[in-house]
Amino acid sequence: MTTLDDLPIREDLRGRTPYGAPQLDVPVRLNTNENSYPVPEPVVEAIGKALAAELRDLNRYPDRDAVALRADLAAYLGHGLTADHVWAANGSNEIQQQLLQAFGGPGRTALGFTPAYSMHPLLALGTGTRWVPARRGADFGLTADEAVAQVREHRPDVVFLCSPNNPTGTALDPAVVAAVLDEAPGMVVVDEAYAEFARPGTVSALAVLPGHPRLVVTRTMSKAFGFAGGRLGYLAADPAVVDAVQLVRLPYHLSALTQAAARAALAHRDALLGTVAAIMEQRDRIVAELRARGHRVADSDANFVLFAVDGDQAVAWRTLLDAGVLVRDVGLPGWLRVTAGTLTETDAFLTAMENVS
């Protein structure tokens, strides 16, 4: 049987493994930060009608610029944004890949503060961009001074900031974003995939977009909207940034069906976002309960919680799996991450944790 080693694959891809998390058939799956609540029936019907309206014209290419969808996304975001400030693609991963294609690439550098979203270095690898893993503090925090010092040292073409940060869950102090913007010589990308779950008072980087043409805020409909299977991510930025990513996007990259489904979901956003408060309640419950049991737990503004265990986290992961609860081993020694799900799922997780120290 032919293997990758038998093919003339790029040398920097040899020995690599693809991004992914276990997709196991277990009673409680809390490892990929999905929204555990199914799409409400009225929204299912609305999306079905929107898709049906597109079927007869599938012989035609979709709107390659997705103008109507971008206008809907801009209206959702507010902050005075218009369709010209927004770009959409198949998940925020594709958005960030396009940004690296436009502003990174061979001879250029991207920097992120680890631990953070593990796809960022893989996207850099795929686009030929050198990746610099900058450091967070021992408590996974990041101060403005720490961030500026590392940006000043490496002078990256692209800086990734995650707020809330995955896998730690905590949102950034706005002072960090402002300081990095002042210091960075290139683009600053703030990944806000979990922004809808942030605790009250958390400031989005959208608020500082005006006057900062090198700032990009990326979002997704996968989490709060419960639209992970629909694959729709987007960015908000100066219109010149939208012009730049259109230079590298594939023709007709968003299907007519994706655009129609996403627009229908946005039109019913109140129903879809109605689960956010319940998820936040379970998140805060997990944090409080685990701390009461003596676990170290990172503050969370997301729909997940990073928590510490004694000894090998892989052993704790297996203990939970044996109890029918799948969480995420993100590769941090002594730490695991759990998605905040429904009340029943949280009950199952906390019960299973009684056997984990």
Side-chain angles (χ1 to χ4, degrees):
M1 177 183 293
T2 302
T3 68
L4 281 178
D5 290 336
D6 300 316
L7 300 175
I9 193 172
R10 284 168 31 189
E11 288 301 319
D12 58 349
L13 294 179
R14 289 191 183 278
R16 300 276 183 171
T17 56
Y19 174 86
Q23 292 183 305
L24 306 178
D25 185 13
V26 296
V28 180
R29 190 168 65 185
L30 299 174
N31 68 325
T32 53
N33 300 339
E34 296 161 320
N35 187 319
S36 290
Y37 292 88
V39 177
E41 192 58 36
V43 186
V44 171
E45 294 176 4
I47 292 175
K49 289 179 180 178
L51 294 176
E54 298 293 329
L55 296 180
R56 190 174 300 279
D57 294 325
L58 285 184
N59 59 309
R60 301 293 185 184
Y61 286 115
D63 175 7
R64 65 171 174 263
D65 296 330
V67 175
L69 171 59
R70 290 160 56 198
D72 289 349
L73 289 166
Y76 165 65
L77 291 176
H79 293 275
L81 298 172
T82 69
D84 291 338
H85 298 89
V86 176
W87 181 247
N90 294 283
S92 57
N93 292 321
E94 185 177 28
I95 288 287
Q96 291 161 6
Q97 176 178 270
Q98 291 172 343
L99 289 168
L100 285 172
Q101 287 175 311
F103 300 107
R108 295 193 171 195
T109 299
L111 176 147
F113 297 91
T114 59
Y117 184 34
S118 58
M119 265 305 295
H120 290 159
L122 294 177
L123 293 171
L125 175 68
T127 58
T129 309
R130 186 172 73 90
W131 176 255
V132 174
R135 302 173 303 279
R136 289 177 171 268
D139 62 350
F140 305 127
L142 183 65
T143 68
D145 288 344
E146 291 167 340
V148 165
Q150 294 179 85
V151 170
R152 184 175 297 148
E153 176 184 355
H154 297 286
R155 310 300 293 166
D157 299 280
V158 180
V159 176
F160 283 100
L161 297 170
C162 297
S163 184
N165 184 53
N166 179 14
T168 60
T170 311
L172 285 174
D173 184 331
V176 175
V177 177
V180 170
L181 272 172
D182 287 343
E183 183 65 32
M187 304 300 293
V188 176
V189 180
V190 182
D191 184 340
E192 291 190 347
Y194 302 93
E196 287 90 350
F197 300 102
R199 289 170 292 181
T202 303
V203 179
S204 168
L206 292 171
V208 295
L209 270 179
H212 291 98
R214 293 183 292 104
L215 173 63
V216 184
V217 181
T218 65
R219 293 278 189 101
T220 182
M221 291 181 67
S222 294
K223 312 302 183 183
F225 278 86
F227 199 69
R231 307 305 301 130
L232 198 290
Y234 55 103
L235 66 76
D238 188 274
V241 175
V242 176
D243 292 341
V245 295
Q246 290 193 63
L247 296 174
V248 299
R249 61 103 169 97
L250 294 174
Y252 312 106
H253 69 295
L254 272 180
S255 76
L257 300 180
T258 298
Q259 293 183 46
R263 293 194 68 201
L266 284 164
H268 292 80
R269 56 180 172 267
D270 289 344
L272 290 172
L273 296 176
T275 63
V276 168
I279 291 169
M280 292 172 65
E281 181 179 355
Q282 295 308 311
R283 173 200 68 199
D284 294 343
R285 177 188 170 205
I286 292 169
V287 171
E289 181 69 23
L290 292 184
R291 284 177 174 168
R293 298 183 188 182
H295 291 274
R296 285 185 296 156
V297 182
D299 290 335
S300 180
D301 290 286
N303 69 334
F304 57 84
V305 175
L306 186 74
F307 62 97
V309 296
D310 290 338
D312 187 347
Q313 82 279 359
V315 174
W317 180 86
R318 172 54 65 177
T319 298
L320 292 171
L321 183 62
D322 289 344
V325 179
L326 178 62
V327 301
R328 185 72 175 268
D329 182 349
V330 295
L332 286 176
W335 294 82
L336 292 171
R337 191 193 73 196
V338 61
T339 304
T342 64
L343 171 64
T344 301
E345 289 173 334
T346 302
D347 286 345
F349 165 71
L350 291 173
T351 297
M353 280 294 295
E354 293 175 359
N355 295 317
V356 176
S357 59

